[in-house]
C-alpha cells in the first residue's frame, strides 16, 4: 500500500507555498471556494508522481504553465512510503528550461 506522508509545494499554479502533513489514519477533506487551489493541490501530487501535467481539454500543458504567474521556477516534494521503503521525490521546473527530478529511497528503521 502507498501511503502519502508529506507534501511541500512552492509556486505551483495557484499555490504559492504549501507544507502539508498527511494523517496516517482517517479521511482527508479538501474544501474551499472556486479557484482556491484544490485542483492545483491534487495536480501537484500527480506531477510529483508522474512528472507530467494533467491534460487540460484537448492539448497538453507545457511545464511552464505549471509555474505560478511571475515566478521563474516551481518545486514539488512528495514523501511517501511503500511497505518499509520511504521515497522522497522532488521535481523542479525552471521557466524555459524544463524539469529536474531527484529521487531518494531509504528503508524505514535503518539509519539514513
Amino acid at each position: 500500500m502507498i501511503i502519502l506522508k508529506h507534501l511541500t509545494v512552492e509556486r505551483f499554479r495557484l499555490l504559492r507555498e504549501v507544507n502539508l502533513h498527511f494523517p496516517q489514519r482517517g479521511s482527508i477533506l479538501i474544501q474551499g471556494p472556486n479557484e482556491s487551489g484544490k485542483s492545483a493541490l491534487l495536480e501537484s501530487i500527480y506531477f510529483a508522481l508522474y512528472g507530467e501535467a494533467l491534460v487540460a481539454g484537448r492539448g497538453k500543458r507545457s511545464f511552464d504553465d505549471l509555474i505560478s504567474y511571475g515566478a521563474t521556477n516551481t518545486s514539488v516534494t512528495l514523501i511517501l512510503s511503500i511497505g518499509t521503503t520511504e521515497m522522497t521525490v522532488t521535481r523542479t521546473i525552471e521557466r524555459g528550461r524544463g524539469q529536474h527530478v531527484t529521487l531518494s529511497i531509504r528503508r524505514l528503521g535503518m539509519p539514513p
Side-chain angles (χ1 to χ4, degrees):
M1 175 178 359
I2 298 174
I3 299 173
L4 302 181
K5 295 179 126 187
H6 188 85
L7 177 69
T8 304
V9 180
E10 296 175 352
R11 299 170 304 279
F12 186 89
R13 291 188 52 202
L14 295 174
L15 304 173
R16 295 291 177 204
E17 186 176 332
V18 173
N19 192 9
L20 177 64
H21 290 280
F22 293 98
Q24 298 306 297
R25 294 179 161 262
S27 300
I28 299 171
L29 171 68
I30 301 171
Q31 73 175 36
N34 289 345
E35 299 296 320
S36 63
K38 300 178 302 290
S39 296
L41 181 68
L42 296 174
E43 187 170 11
S44 70
I45 295 170
Y46 181 88
F47 174 69
L49 291 170
Y50 300 106
E52 298 178 359
L54 288 172
V55 176
R58 293 183 139 178
K60 284 191 167 187
R61 290 186 176 137
S62 77
F63 285 129
D64 286 358
D65 292 340
L66 299 177
I67 302 171
S68 293
Y69 179 76
T72 58
N73 62 23
T74 183
S75 176
V76 177
T77 300
L78 179 64
I79 300 173
L80 57 105
S81 65
I82 303 171
T84 60
T85 302
E86 183 176 271
M87 294 189 289
T88 302
V89 180
T90 301
R91 293 189 188 269
T92 303
I93 302 171
E94 292 186 48
R95 192 174 299 281
R97 303 185 91 187
Q99 73 167 300
H100 173 76
V101 62
T102 303
L103 175 63
S104 172
I105 301 173
R106 76 177 184 102
R107 289 283 208 196
L108 298 175
M110 313 249 326

